[in-house]
């Protein structure tokens, strides 16, 4: 049951993933969350983010920002980094992810998702068949609803890491 929330991969940061290797293996589009994935919550795009998106484009990637936030926040960030965007995306619903692939002209087989939350970012990508990376949140300051979700995420990640180490789930017999 918890497996539906397990990330396909984990990374310390969105900036530390080996995108050139992923490009060589056939990936062409990357969907990113913004807040606490690329910058601290609510922060504008910084020079690091701008350079990062320039490098991704130079390497042949299409990029898109997928956010549940309102348009002013998402649009200003997208304009500064030069990415397409979808605001009020309704993550973890599939529609935003599917629209993102349509805009990038990619499909689940060659699209990646990078985000910092299991119950919105990762789960939505998994439901849509997109390979996903869970990154560590950039900054601990978050809205209360996210703080509460983080507590539940710790439980899911405990079992995920235990499974990765070769442990197994206890059987639940009816």
């Amino acid at each position: 049951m918890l497996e539906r929330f397990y990330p396909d991969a984990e990374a310390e940061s969105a900036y530390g993933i080996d995108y050139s290797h992923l490009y060589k293996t056939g990936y062409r589009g990357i969907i990113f969350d913004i807040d606490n994935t690329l910058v601290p919550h609510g922060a504008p795009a910084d020079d690091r983010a701008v350079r990062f998106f320039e490098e991704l484009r130079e390497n042949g990637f299409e990029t898109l920002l997928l956010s549940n936030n309102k348009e002013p926040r998402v649009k200003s960030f997208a304009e500064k980094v030069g990415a397409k965007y979808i605001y009020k995306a309704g993550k973890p619903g599939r529609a935003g992810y599917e629209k993102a692939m349509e805009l990038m002209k990619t499909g689940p087989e060659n699209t990646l998702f990078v985000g910092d939350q299991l119950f919105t970012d990762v789960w939505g990508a998994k439901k849509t068949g997109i390979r996903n990376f869970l990154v560590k949140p950039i900054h601990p300051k978050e809205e209360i609803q996210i703080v509460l979700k983080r507590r539940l995420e710790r439980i899911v990640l405990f079992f995920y890491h235990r499974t990765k180490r070769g442990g197994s789930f206890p059987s639940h017999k009816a």
Side-chain angles (χ1 to χ4, degrees), residues 2-3 6 156-170:
L2 293 178
E3 294 91 347
Y6 289 177
V156 173
L157 288 171
F158 168 81
F159 287 106
Y160 167 70
H161 290 130
R162 192 170 94 175
T163 302
K164 279 180 58 175
R165 287 191 305 267
S168 61
F169 286 94

Side-chain angles (χ1 to χ4, degrees), residues 11 22 27-28 31 36 47 51 67-69 72 75 96 99 105 113 120 126 132 145 152 157 166-167 174:
L22 292 164
Y27 290 96
R28 296 297 181 262
I31 304 168
N36 256 345
D47 291 340
R51 282 191 311 273
S67 176
N68 286 345
N69 223 316
K75 181 179 181 182
K99 180 69 174 173
K105 297 178 177 39
F113 185 90
T120 52
K126 288 183 78 74
N132 57 80
Q145 71 271 18
L152 295 172
L157 288 171

Side-chain angles (χ1 to χ4, degrees), residues 118-119 142 144-158:
L118 284 179
F119 301 130
E142 296 179 302
I144 187 65
Q145 71 271 18
I146 296 173
V147 171
L148 297 173
K149 283 194 280 185
R150 294 280 186 215
R151 291 181 181 167
L152 295 172
E153 284 182 353
R154 279 198 292 274
I155 295 166
V156 173
L157 288 171
F158 168 81

Side-chain angles (χ1 to χ4, degrees), residues 93-106:
R94 293 172 52 138
Y97 295 86
E98 290 168 350
K99 180 69 174 173
M101 290 185 288
E102 180 183 319
L103 291 171
M104 294 190 302
K105 297 178 177 39
T106 60

Side-chain angles (χ1 to χ4, degrees), residues 108-128:
E109 69 285 347
N110 64 352
T111 303
L112 302 165
F113 185 90
V114 180
D116 70 300
Q117 292 188 54
L118 284 179
F119 301 130
T120 52
D121 300 330
V122 168
W123 189 25
K126 288 183 78 74
K127 290 193 308 185
T128 315

Side-chain angles (χ1 to χ4, degrees), residues 22-148:
L22 292 164
Y23 189 86
K24 289 175 190 168
T25 61
Y27 290 96
R28 296 297 181 262
I30 311 171
I31 304 168
F32 289 96
D33 176 51
I34 300 171
D35 288 321
N36 256 345
T37 296
L38 297 168
V39 293
H41 189 82
D46 55 18
D47 291 340
R48 180 183 188 193
V50 171
R51 282 191 311 273
F52 176 62
F53 277 81
E54 285 172 358
E55 289 172 13
L56 290 172
R57 279 191 303 279
E58 287 170 5
N59 289 321
F61 280 107
E62 289 290 325
T63 57
L64 186 136
L65 302 169
L66 187 69
S67 176
N68 286 345
N69 223 316
K70 295 176 184 166
E71 187 173 21
R73 164 73 176 134
V74 183
K75 181 179 181 182
S76 65
F77 196 98
E79 286 176 345
K80 189 149 185 202
V81 300
K84 296 176 176 99
Y85 70 93
I86 297 172
Y87 65 97
K88 288 190 178 180
K91 295 183 288 183
R94 293 172 52 138
Y97 295 86
E98 290 168 350
K99 180 69 174 173
M101 290 185 288
E102 180 183 319
L103 291 171
M104 294 190 302
K105 297 178 177 39
T106 60
E109 69 285 347
N110 64 352
T111 303
L112 302 165
F113 185 90
V114 180
D116 70 300
Q117 292 188 54
L118 284 179
F119 301 130
T120 52
D121 300 330
V122 168
W123 189 25
K126 288 183 78 74
K127 290 193 308 185
T128 315
I130 299 171
R131 182 173 179 197
N132 57 80
F133 284 81
L134 176 68
V135 297
K136 291 190 176 174
I138 289 176
H139 195 275
K141 182 180 178 250
E142 296 179 302
E143 298 170 343
I144 187 65
Q145 71 271 18
I146 296 173
V147 171
L148 297 173

